[in-house]
Each structure stands twice: as structure tokens, then as C-alpha cells.
């Protein structure tokens, strides 16, 4: 089967099921083999710009032709049997409506599978759906069972915690956005309290004063699409804000930078890695310290 995946999480799911896609999105970089695949889309936003500039570019793109464009010539050459896309966020990846239009215009004989993931259960269901679509039902069941076991292990250990510290995860810095979707439930699974957003809700801009009032005991900066190095380049968007140094998390040395691009904002199988990493930040006495390529203390990278 010839499969095209138009978002990084779908690419990771397909590879985890033992299927190698013939084409991917421009952002697909894991596993490393994905980087060698033809890209069938491009972004109208400069991913190397500052967080404020990207926000402005996204707004401008949405008023015109959209954030993404599909390379119709490449898509036609690949002639896929299945295209996996998403319906979660028009800013994060190619929207399913745009894909359907391209398939119709090109006259492709391809099924379009749309993933709409807002929770870990949604992720597990999506793995089953992709597995069924590519003929790997058994492998999908094995993968989901393994992931569920790891989630259960985190929840069991977190039950030993005597406190549930207030946690805030920010998936954009200018403007500040509190992470939604799967993040609130993962924080609670890890033994923390997440008062900035409800489970399954979309991430949305928040007034900085709301963060100050919430006064998180654990703060995680994980901008969408940014790795640790790029977050460091944009860290003053957060640290320059009034009252930042007075936040409990900052004063107690419990503010962190996390690789949002590969972990927090990517709804693939590695979300369970992310859960384990977050647990290590929320209750370091109960869980292992996350790897430094994924999480670093904010104080060590602060400009």
C-alpha cells in the first residue's frame, strides 16, 4: 500500500506499525528515515522566525490562502492509496478539507483518513484506525497495549504522591497560550493539578495576568514547533514579562524548557514518552529525570 502522511504524528504512527510511507509533510523528521521521503506540502510561515513574528505570519496566512499549500505535482506522482491527515488544528498541519480538494482535483483513487486527536484515548483509537487502514490490526493492538501499560504504570506511581502541585504548560510564548488537548489529562495522570485549561479543549491565548494569578508551582515552556534551542532563542518573550521572577515555579527552580516540537505538541506514540517526562518534572522524587535533549531547567538556558 502506498501511504502519504501529512503530519508528523501520523508519520510516527505509520512507521510504528511497520509501514514505510511514500511521502510525508515538510515537518516529518522522526524516525530519521522520514526526512528522506518526498515532501508533499509546504508552509507559508517561516518556522525560524520569533514567536511573535510567527504569530503575525499565521494570522496573515489565514486571511489569504492558508498556512499550508499542497504540492499537487508531487502528490500526483506518488499516486497514494491512502492519505493520512488531521482535523485538530489548521496551524499545526494540512487540514483535511484542503487534502480532499486536492484529491478530487487530481482525480486520485486515494482514501483520506482524518485523525482528530485531543486525548490519549483518541490517540489509541487513531492507532487502531490507521492499523485497520494499512492492514496492520494486530501490530496496532500490540502497540496500544504497550502504551496503555506504560500510562497505567505512571498513574499507579503518581498515586503515591502526597501533593498535586499546580502546573502550567505553555505551548506558545507571544502571545502566551496554555496547552490544551491531551496536556491537562497527562498532568493529572502524572499527579499534578492543571488549572489553566480543561482536558480536550483547544489551546488558546491567555492574558499573562492569568498565569501570574494562577502562580504555577511547576512551569513548562514548550512552544509548538520549537525544540529546546529555538525556545531558548525566544525565551525573553516569557522571562521579560512582569512578575515572571516572582512565580513560585521560578523561585523554586521548577521552571523548564521542553522540546515542544517532538513531544508536547505532536500527538503520536511518543506522547507516552511525554507523559513520563512530565511525571519526572511534577514528582521528581517518584519518577526518573527526563533526558536533557527533551527537557532542561529554564534557569540553565535563560538569556
Amino acid at each position: 500500500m502506498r501511504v502519504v502522511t501529512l503530519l508528523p504524528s501520523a508519520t510516527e504512527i505509520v512507521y510504528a506499525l511497520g509501514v514505510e510511507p511514500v511521502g510525508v509533510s515538510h515537518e516529518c523528521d522522526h524516525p530519521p528515515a522520514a526526512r528522506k521521503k518526498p515532501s508533499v506540502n509546504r508552509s507559508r510561515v517561516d518556522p525560524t522566525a520569533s514567536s511573535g513574528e510567527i504569530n503575525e505570519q499565521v494570522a496573515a496566512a489565514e486571511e489569504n490562502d492558508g498556512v499550508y499549500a499542497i504540492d499537487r505535482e508531487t502528490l500526483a506522482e506518488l499516486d497514494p492509496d491512502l492519505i493520512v491527515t488531521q482535523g485538530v488544528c489548521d496551524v499545526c498541519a494540512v487540514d483535511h478539507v484542503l487534502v480532499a480538494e486536492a484529491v478530487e482535483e487530481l482525480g486520485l483513487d486515494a482514501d483520506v483518513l482524518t485523525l482528530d486527536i485531543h486525548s490519549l484515548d483518541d490517540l489509541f483509537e487513531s492507532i487502531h484506525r490507521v492499523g485497520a487502514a494499512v492492514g496492520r490490526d494486530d501490530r496496532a493492538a500490540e502497540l496500544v497495549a504497550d502504551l496503555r501499560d506504560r500510562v497505567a504504570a505512571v498513574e499507579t506511581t503518581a498515586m503515591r504522591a502526597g501533593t498535586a502541585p499546580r502546573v502550567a504548560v505553555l505551548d506558545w510564548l507571544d502571545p502566551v497560550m496554555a496547552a490544551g488537548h491531551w496536556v491537562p489529562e497527562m498532568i493529572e495522570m502524572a499527579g499534578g493539578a492543571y488549572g489553566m485549561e480543561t482536558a480536550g479543549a483547544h489551546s488558546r491565548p491567555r492574558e499573562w495576568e492569568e498565569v501570574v494569578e494562577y502562580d504555577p508551582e511547576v512551569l513548562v515552556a514548550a512552544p509548538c514547533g520549537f525544540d529546546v534551542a529555538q525556545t531558548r532563542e525566544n525565551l525573553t518573550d516569557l522571562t521579560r514579562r512582569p512578575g515572571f521572577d516572582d512565580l513560585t515555579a521560578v523561585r523554586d527552580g521548577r521552571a523548564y524548557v521542553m522540546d515542544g516540537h517532538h513531544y508536547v505538541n505532536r500527538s503520536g506514540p511518543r506522547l507516552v514518552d511525554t507523559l513520563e517526562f512530565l511525571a519526572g518534572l511534577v514528582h521528581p522524587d517518584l519518577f526518573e529525570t527526563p533526558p536533557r535533549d527533551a527537557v532542561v531547567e529554564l534557569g540553565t538556558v535563560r538569556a
Side-chain angles (χ1 to χ4, degrees):
M1 174 176 284
R2 298 178 63 80
V3 181
V4 166
T5 53
L6 291 177
L7 67 160
S9 57
T11 298
E12 295 189 24
I13 290 172
V14 168
Y15 269 105
L17 295 177
V19 176
E20 189 171 334
V22 297
V24 298
S25 81
H26 70 292
E27 287 188 315
C28 293
D29 55 9
H30 186 85
R35 299 173 184 171
K36 300 178 181 179
K37 298 297 179 180
S39 174
V40 297
N41 76 300
R42 62 180 177 83
S43 174
R44 296 186 174 97
V45 172
D46 178 9
T48 66
S50 69
S51 56
E53 291 169 341
I54 290 176
N55 190 64
E56 293 176 358
Q57 291 177 29
V58 167
E62 289 181 323
E63 290 181 1
N64 294 290
D65 296 324
V67 176
Y68 297 98
I70 293 179
D71 184 339
R72 282 167 164 73
E73 181 177 351
T74 299
L75 185 60
E77 289 176 355
L78 293 174
D79 191 22
D81 302 302
L82 175 69
I83 302 173
V84 187
T85 184
Q86 60 91 38
V88 177
C89 175
D90 294 347
V91 177
C92 297
V94 180
D95 181 76
H96 65 103
V97 175
L98 188 62
V99 176
E101 291 175 351
V103 169
E104 183 177 359
E105 290 176 10
L106 294 170
L108 297 176
D109 183 19
D111 292 325
V112 178
L113 177 59
T114 301
L115 306 184
D116 194 14
I117 299 172
H118 300 273
S119 67
L120 288 180
D121 278 341
D122 288 346
L123 167 62
F124 302 148
E125 179 186 359
S126 293
I127 292 173
H128 283 299
R129 291 177 62 208
V130 175
V134 300
R136 298 296 177 93
D137 300 81
D138 291 345
R139 174 59 189 138
E142 293 172 359
L143 176 59
V144 170
D146 176 67
L147 295 174
R148 286 191 181 278
D149 285 347
R150 290 168 59 192
V151 171
V154 170
E155 292 183 295
T156 298
T157 300
M159 291 177 62
R160 292 160 41 196
T163 61
R166 297 184 306 277
V167 181
V169 179
L170 306 179
D171 65 7
W172 203 246
L173 305 183
D174 185 15
V176 168
M177 297 182 69
H181 302 293
W182 44 84
V183 170
E185 70 166 341
M186 291 201 302
I187 293 298
E188 293 176 1
M189 288 174 173
Y194 198 80
M196 294 295 295
E197 193 52 88
T198 57
H202 286 270
S203 302
R204 59 191 176 94
R206 306 296 290 265
E207 296 295 331
W208 174 245
E209 289 73 16
E210 295 179 73
V211 180
V212 172
E213 182 178 357
Y214 179 61
D215 190 24
E217 296 168 275
V218 179
L219 175 66
V220 181
C224 185
F226 285 16
D227 59 14
V228 171
Q230 192 169 3
T231 301
R232 179 177 183 175
E233 294 175 2
N234 290 269
L235 201 54
T236 55
D237 290 338
L238 182 64
T239 60
R240 70 186 178 191
R241 295 181 180 275
F244 176 81
D245 288 325
D246 296 326
L247 295 177
T248 298
V250 176
R251 288 191 287 104
D252 291 350
R254 302 192 68 187
Y256 305 92
V257 171
M258 181 177 281
D259 183 341
H261 177 56
H262 283 102
Y263 295 103
V264 180
N265 320 121
R266 187 176 296 194
S267 54
R270 288 192 295 168
L271 272 187
V272 178
D273 293 12
T274 307
L275 170 63
E276 293 166 344
F277 298 164
L278 289 171
L281 303 182
V282 176
H283 290 294
D285 55 325
L286 297 177
F287 297 94
E288 293 183 5
T289 301
R292 284 190 57 81
D293 61 341
V295 183
V296 295
E297 290 185 21
L298 186 146
T300 65
V301 299
R302 189 171 182 178

